[in-house]
Amino acid sequence: MTVPKPSEKKALILEYEERFAFDLSREVLETPKMSFWMIFIPIFLLYHVYRVKKIVEGRKGFAKNYLITRKRALEESVSLVEKAINPNPQTILKDSNLPEKAKGPFKELFLLLVVHYADLLRSYGHDVPSLIRSTYKSRTNYLLFLNRLNKAEKALTDALRPSTPESAADIDFIAKAMEINTERLGRERAERIFA
């Protein structure tokens, strides 16, 4: 069996990240429960179907936005591995609409992801779990990386948090749900990878 090229590993990593984003979106944006009596009242059934459709659309948008930074970091890591071109987060920050206080946390998160992906691209394996095992060697090391990643994401979320109390409550709820579920899903994946 031949060793996958960095471009093939990139595709594997992207697919893995997309699956994670979708799993996270399912946890953060829960599907409304259908009651038995809704079947007998068509207007309630139609409203339920409408709400479910909105949740599905919301999940797609959530996953797409969640992946923006990861896709960009993956592209930069490919350039780093294949062409020895160091990432330049300043260019990305210049093009972004991030507030000044969020630029530092974004840069930290971005560089952490670039190094992680570059390590995976340089590792030996035919799927992402084997790349992770090759890179981190133990569940503890991988969990330490996930902890650093979670802290970087939380710092960015805190920096982006709005100052108005009306919008802060909804954002706090979503941010907390993302934080809790990201940690849980990451630990579950680590358990499976290093079983």
Side-chain angles (χ1 to χ4, degrees):
M1 195 175 237
T2 61
V3 178
K5 297 175 186 167
S7 60
E8 294 169 325
K9 291 179 187 177
K10 174 189 166 193
L12 293 171
I13 294 167
L14 183 57
E15 181 183 326
Y16 190 81
E17 290 288 8
E18 287 171 344
R19 258 194 325 268
F20 186 84
F22 182 74
D23 290 346
L24 181 59
S25 74
R26 277 199 340 239
E27 296 297 323
V28 173
L29 302 171
E30 295 181 23
T31 304
K33 304 286 186 246
M34 184 171 159
S35 300
F36 176 73
W37 59 268
M38 286 182 178
I39 296 170
F40 299 112
I41 306 173
I43 191 72
F44 288 121
L45 182 60
L46 288 173
Y47 179 67
H48 176 76
V49 170
Y50 171 78
R51 286 178 52 209
V52 169
K53 182 180 176 192
K54 286 293 183 194
I55 291 291
V56 169
E57 290 170 5
R59 286 179 182 163
K60 287 178 185 175
F62 176 95
K64 180 181 175 187
N65 289 324
Y66 180 84
L67 289 168
I68 289 171
T69 302
R70 282 159 173 75
K71 285 180 177 180
R72 188 75 186 259
L74 186 54
E75 290 297 328
E76 293 287 327
S77 66
V78 169
S79 294
L80 176 63
V81 170
E82 290 183 337
K83 303 170 190 162
I85 298 173
N86 287 324
N88 187 358
Q90 293 308 116
T91 305
I92 296 164
L93 287 170
K94 193 173 100 182
D95 296 339
S96 75
N97 293 329
L98 288 173
E100 199 59 42
K101 66 180 183 176
K103 289 184 178 182
F106 174 82
K107 182 178 176 181
E108 182 181 337
L109 172 64
F110 185 77
L111 291 175
L112 184 63
L113 286 169
V114 169
V115 169
H116 168 66
Y117 293 143
D119 288 345
L120 293 180
L121 291 170
R122 291 182 190 115
S123 294
Y124 177 79
H126 291 74
D127 57 17
V128 174
S130 63
L131 295 173
I132 290 171
R133 281 191 298 274
S134 176
T135 299
Y136 292 99
K137 310 293 187 225
S138 72
R139 180 182 316 154
T140 301
N141 290 339
Y142 184 55
L143 287 172
L144 287 171
F145 161 73
L146 290 178
N147 189 39
R148 285 180 59 211
L149 183 62
N150 291 337
K151 284 182 180 179
E153 287 176 329
K154 184 176 180 342
L156 179 59
T157 301
D158 289 344
L160 291 171
R161 183 168 277 122
S163 56
T164 58
E166 304 85 44
S167 55
D170 290 339
I171 298 216
D172 284 344
F173 177 78
I174 296 290
K176 193 66 179 168
M178 281 180 64
E179 183 182 332
I180 290 167
N181 288 297
T182 297
E183 288 179 20
R184 183 181 57 77
L185 290 171
R187 288 187 182 282
E188 288 173 3
R189 284 187 168 193
E191 294 291 328
R192 284 193 302 271
I193 290 168
F194 291 97

